[in-house]
Amino acid sequence: IVFGDWSSDVCSSDLGIAAGAIYVACKLTKEIRSQQSISGVAKVSDITLRSRAKEMEILLRKYKNEYFLPPQY
């Protein structure tokens, strides 16, 4: 469901979405990685990373009960 909504709501590069997903996953698992390090490896701007991560976090909150996210998220 999330990816169906994601593709219809967001028009962005695959690398930006992947970078955002990695950043959000790092936050959820408390893995310390900076936005700059992730965006550098993915070759996307810090702004793109933050934008995709923010959009992804909104969708994760919307569907958190369906995807068993940790309660603190």
Side-chain angles (χ1 to χ4, degrees):
I1 294 173
V2 170
F3 291 106
D5 288 348
W6 182 269
S7 63
S8 65
D9 292 344
V10 178
C11 182
S12 60
S13 74
D14 294 339
L15 290 175
I17 293 171
I22 290 168
Y23 181 69
V24 170
C26 287
K27 285 176 60 176
L28 285 172
T29 60
K30 300 188 184 338
E31 182 73 28
I32 299 172
R33 296 284 186 259
S34 70
Q35 292 177 358
Q36 292 167 333
S37 68
I38 295 170
S39 63
V41 170
K43 296 186 180 359
V44 299
S45 71
D46 294 347
I47 295 168
T48 296
L49 173 92
R50 281 192 296 274
S51 297
R52 298 299 80 81
K54 184 176 180 180
E55 292 162 351
M56 201 168 292
E57 288 171 341
I58 290 167
L59 287 173
L60 285 171
R61 283 187 193 102
K62 181 177 177 181
Y63 294 107
K64 72 179 178 180
N65 292 333
E66 294 178 38
Y67 293 97
F68 310 105
L69 290 174
Q72 74 274 12
Y73 195 72

